[in-house]
Amino acid sequence: MAKKRKPGLSDLLRVPDDRPVDLSAYDARATTGGPRDKRAALADIARTGERLADLQERLWAASTAGDRRRVLLVLQGMDTSGKGGTVKHVIGQFNPSGCRIKAFKAPTPRERKHSFLWRIRRELPHPGELGIFDRSHYEDVLIARVRELAPPAELGRRYDQINDFEESLADDGVTLIKCFLHISYEEQRRRLLERLDRPDKHWKFNVGDIDERELWPAYQEAYELALHRCSSPQAPWYLIPADRKWYRNWAVGRLLLEHLQALDPRYPKADFDVAEARERLLKGA
Amino acid sequence: MAKKRKPGLSDLLRVPDDRPVDLSAYDARATTGGPRDKRAALADIARTGERLADLQERLWAASTAGDRRRVLLVLQGMDTSGKGGTVKHVIGQFNPSGCRIKAFKAPTPRERKHSFLWRIRRELPHPGELGIFDRSHYEDVLIARVRELAPPAELGRRYDQINDFEESLADDGVTLIKCFLHISYEEQRRRLLERLDRPDKHWKFNVGDIDERELWPAYQEAYELALHRCSSPQAPWYLIPADRKWYRNWAVGRLLLEHLQALDPRYPKADFDVAEARERLLKGA
C-alpha cells in the first residue's frame, strides 16, 4: 500500500503470508494492541458501538444507490473458542437487519452432492450487508483433513480453490475478514468442564467434542496449513488470541471498525427533487 | 383461557375480533399500559433486555432437544411507521444468531409466478428461532387491494387463505405476534419532511412514498379489513400506537416478553453421562 498510515490492529494480528505458521509460537492469552484490562476493553467496546452501527448504516445506504461493497466476517476456531460468543457480543452491536448470519454445520446429504463451495455461495452477504460465517468453507480443509473425509488429492486442490473463490469475492466488492480464534488446550478443558458443571450449559455440550479434542495436534496442524496457504493480501487471516473473552470481543470489533472505516461508505446523494417533494408534502391535505 | 392471570399488554393492545375495526377511534399518540414518559420507557427497556435474551437462549436450547416452538413477529404499518426502527431497537436486544429477519419488498417476477404465500413460507423461522417479518403476506391484501394488483375475487379469497396459513403455523409451534404500527397522517408528514431536511436521510426517501400517502384513506380501510378479518385467538393482531417511538419500542418489546414468558422454554436435560464426560476431560493429557 502506497498510502502511509498508522499501523492498526489489522497489521498486528495479520498472519504473515511469507512463511509457515507455527501456532505454538502464539500466546492464546496475549492482548496484542489491546486495552490494559477487561474494564478498559468493555468501556472501549461501549464507545465504539455507535460508530460501528453508523458505518454499517452508511454501507447499507450506499448499496441502495448501486454500491456493491459488503463485508464478510469468517469465524473459525476449535470448539469453545468463542465463535458463538463473538456473534452475540460483537455482532450484537450492529443493526440486525443489515446482518446475514450463517452457522455452518456438517453438510447435509444434498449439500454433499455439490462442490464444497456450493453451500457457501448461497449464504454470501448481499451488497451493503455484513455477513457473518460461524464456521465456513475452511471446515473442508480442517475437519475434512483431520477426519479424512475426502481423498488427499482433492483436499490438496481445495486450498487453491479457496484462494480463487476468495479472490473472486474480493473482486466483487467483498471485504473478507477471516478470524482464527486461537485458544489453548488448557483453556478448552476449562470451558468444557464449565459446560459440564452448569446444567443450563449442558445443551451446548456434545460428547463428540471430546473426541475432536483428542485430535488437537492434528487440528492445530490443519489450521497452520490453512492459515498459511490461504492468506493473501486480498483475503488475509487474522489470528485472534482468544483465551480472554474480553480481548477476543474487543479485537474482532476493532478489526470490523478498521475495515469499515477504510471502506468509508457514504450516504448517496438524493436522486430526486428535494424542494418539489417538500412542496408536495406540505400541500397535501 | 381458564387460567386466571393479570391482564398484560397483550390484552390491552389486542384487536377485538368480534366487531369491525375503526382506526380513527385509536389515538396514535396513546401510551396504553406504558411507562409515563420516554425516560421511564428507556429504563424499562434496558432492564428487560437481559430477560429477553435469556428467554431466547432457552427457546433455542430447547430446540436442540426437539422442541419445535418458535416466534414470528410480523410488523406492518404505513411508510415511516417505524418497522425498521423497531427491528433496530427491539430486535437489537436479542442474540442476532437466533433471529431470522426478512424485509419483504415488491414481489420479484419469479415470486409472482407462485401463490402469494410461497415466498413467505421460505422465510419462516426454524424451531428455536425468533423470526421477524418487516412487511409480510399482508401486503397482498393491503397494497394489492389499494392498487388493484389482483382481481377482486382473488383478493377476497386471500383473507381465508391467510387465516388457514396462520392456523397451520400455530399448529406447528409458531407463536405469531402481529403488530400494526399505527401512526397518524400528520406524524407521517413530519417524518417524511424530516427525511427531506437531512441529507443523511435522503436515501430513505422515495418519491413513491408521497404517491402512497395520497391513498391514505384507502390504506386505512384496507388495514381495517385485514385487522378485522385476520384476527383470531391463535393469531391476533396487536394495534401499537406508534406516533411516539419510545412507546412503540417499549410496547413491541413487552409483547415479545409476555409471549416468551408464556412459552416458558426450558433448558433440556443432559442426554449424556456428565460424570463420564468430566472424567474423560480430566484424564486427557
Side-chain angles (χ1 to χ4, degrees), chain B residues 152-222:
Chain B
E154 189 186 326
L155 283 168
R157 278 194 299 273
R158 286 185 182 169
Y159 300 96
D160 287 339
Q161 289 171 331
I162 289 177
N163 287 333
D164 289 347
F165 170 60
E166 293 183 351
E167 193 182 320
S168 74
L169 292 183
D171 289 345
D172 196 25
V174 179
T175 294
L176 275 151
I177 310 177
K178 302 186 294 187
C179 294
F180 169 58
L181 307 182
H182 177 48
I183 57 163
S184 63
Y185 187 69
E186 267 315 306
E187 179 65 16
Q188 189 191 54
R189 190 203 309 270
R190 267 191 294 274
R191 292 185 185 181
L192 287 173
L193 284 172
E194 198 201 340
R195 288 186 183 174
L196 291 177
D197 289 341
R198 292 179 50 179
D200 64 331
K201 300 264 187 192
H202 283 171
W203 66 278
K204 287 190 177 187
F205 193 91
N206 194 322
V207 175
D209 295 350
I210 310 184
D211 304 331
E212 296 302 296
R213 175 173 168 77
E214 287 168 353
L215 298 168
W216 186 275
Y219 271 105
Q220 298 294 297
E221 202 184 299

Side-chain angles (χ1 to χ4, degrees), chain B residues 125-162:
Chain B
H126 299 189
E129 290 182 341
L130 167 57
I132 300 96
F133 284 176
D134 174 343
R135 303 186 188 270
S136 65
H137 43 297
Y138 281 96
E139 292 297 322
D140 296 286
V141 291
L142 294 167
I143 190 170
R145 184 172 194 272
V146 173
R147 292 284 186 183
E148 298 174 1
L149 304 178
E154 189 186 326
L155 283 168
R157 278 194 299 273
R158 286 185 182 169
Y159 300 96
D160 287 339
Q161 289 171 331
I162 289 177

Side-chain angles (χ1 to χ4, degrees), chain B residues 195-256:
Chain B
R195 288 186 183 174
L196 291 177
D197 289 341
R198 292 179 50 179
D200 64 331
K201 300 264 187 192
H202 283 171
W203 66 278
K204 287 190 177 187
F205 193 91
N206 194 322
V207 175
D209 295 350
I210 310 184
D211 304 331
E212 296 302 296
R213 175 173 168 77
E214 287 168 353
L215 298 168
W216 186 275
Y219 271 105
Q220 298 294 297
E221 202 184 299
Y223 268 111
E224 286 172 343
L225 204 54
L227 266 56
H228 175 54
R229 296 212 36 196
C230 301
S231 271
S232 68
Q234 280 194 312
W237 269 105
Y238 299 98
L239 189 147
I240 318 285
D243 272 10
R244 300 178 202 259
K245 294 176 182 176
W246 61 262
Y247 175 77
R248 175 201 76 205
N249 290 340
W250 176 85
V252 176
R254 174 56 59 120
L255 287 181
L256 284 163

